[in-house]
């Protein structure tokens, strides 16, 4: 095997645990944020959010927006991650380290909802900067 290819493969193998740990930390932030939303603790969710989410939305606006989006869904019964994508930029946001998590979520009144949550890494911490529901 050529030396260059060996070095490349070795680098990938060494970085894989770091990338997984980074994704795990990002998902932990996402799930904590979602739990606050699920419990109706919008002020806490706003405080844990990124300035990219905080600037355009006050805590009350965050509550109204998410409540309107999830109006008839009922309570969360289950949530299963279906995808995670690593990104270095998002529309209208500065270049940074982003993840895009997609979950299939079962609500009591809507059994098949897709939630997409985008955290980004800032000042050594993952913070949610976007939430979309379909």
């Amino acid at each position: 095997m050529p030396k260059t290819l060996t070095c490349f493969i070795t680098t990938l193998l060494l970085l894989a645990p770091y990338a997984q740990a980074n994704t795990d930390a990002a998902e932990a932030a996402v799930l904590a944020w979602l739990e606050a939303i699920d419990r109706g603790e919008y002020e806490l969710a706003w405080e844990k959010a990124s300035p990219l989410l905080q600037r355009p939305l006050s805590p009350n606006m965050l509550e109204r927006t998410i409540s309107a989006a999830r109006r008839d869904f009922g309570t969360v019964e289950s949530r299963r991650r279906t995808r995670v994508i690593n990104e270095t930029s998002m529309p209208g946001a500065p270049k940074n380290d982003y993840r895009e998590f997609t979950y299939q979520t079962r609500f009591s009144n809507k059994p098949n909802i897709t939630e997409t949550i985008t955290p980004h890494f800032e000042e050594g911490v993952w913070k949610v900067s976007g939430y979309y529901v379909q």
Side-chain angles (χ1 to χ4, degrees), residues 2-73:
K3 198 174 215 177
T4 306
L5 183 57
T6 302
C7 288
F8 178 73
I9 291 171
T10 301
T11 301
L12 286 177
L13 291 173
L14 290 174
L15 290 178
Y18 169 77
Q20 183 60 46
N22 219 359
T23 296
D24 291 347
E27 187 166 32
V30 163
L31 292 174
W33 189 86
L34 283 170
E35 286 174 16
I37 293 296
D38 294 344
R39 290 190 308 265
E41 297 174 352
Y42 295 99
E43 180 106 16
L44 177 62
W46 186 85
E47 289 170 3
K48 289 183 171 197
S50 163
L52 295 174
L53 186 76
Q54 291 174 336
R55 278 187 213 112
L57 297 175
S58 69
N60 288 335
M61 289 174 67
L62 178 68
E63 178 177 3
R64 285 194 311 265
T65 302
I66 292 178
S67 293
R70 292 169 67 170
R71 179 179 341 214
D72 300 322
F73 292 2

Side-chain angles (χ1 to χ4, degrees), residues 11 13 16 19 27-29 33-34 37 40 43 60 63 79 82 84 90 95-96 98 100 108 119 124-125 130-132:
T11 301
L13 291 173
E27 187 166 32
W33 189 86
L34 283 170
I37 293 296
E43 180 106 16
N60 288 335
E63 178 177 3
R79 182 175 279 128
T82 57
V84 61
M90 297 299 278
K95 289 200 179 292
N96 209 325
Y98 296 88
E100 183 179 276
S108 57
V125 180
Y131 175 75
Y132 311 93

Side-chain angles (χ1 to χ4, degrees), residues 57-130:
L57 297 175
S58 69
N60 288 335
M61 289 174 67
L62 178 68
E63 178 177 3
R64 285 194 311 265
T65 302
I66 292 178
S67 293
R70 292 169 67 170
R71 179 179 341 214
D72 300 322
F73 292 2
T75 58
V76 174
E77 293 181 347
S78 66
R79 182 175 279 128
R80 179 179 57 87
R81 185 178 87 189
T82 57
R83 183 178 68 183
V84 61
I85 299 172
N86 300 330
E87 299 285 350
T88 57
S89 64
M90 297 299 278
K95 289 200 179 292
N96 209 325
D97 194 7
Y98 296 88
R99 299 287 185 276
E100 183 179 276
F101 290 91
T102 304
Y103 295 90
Q104 244 0 87
T105 305
R106 173 181 287 278
F107 289 85
S108 57
N109 299 332
K110 297 280 185 178
N112 194 22
I113 297 294
T114 300
E115 293 180 296
T116 303
I117 304 91
T118 306
H120 81 279
F121 196 67
E122 63 178 52
E123 300 175 6
V125 180
W126 287 97
K127 295 183 178 183
V128 171
S129 59

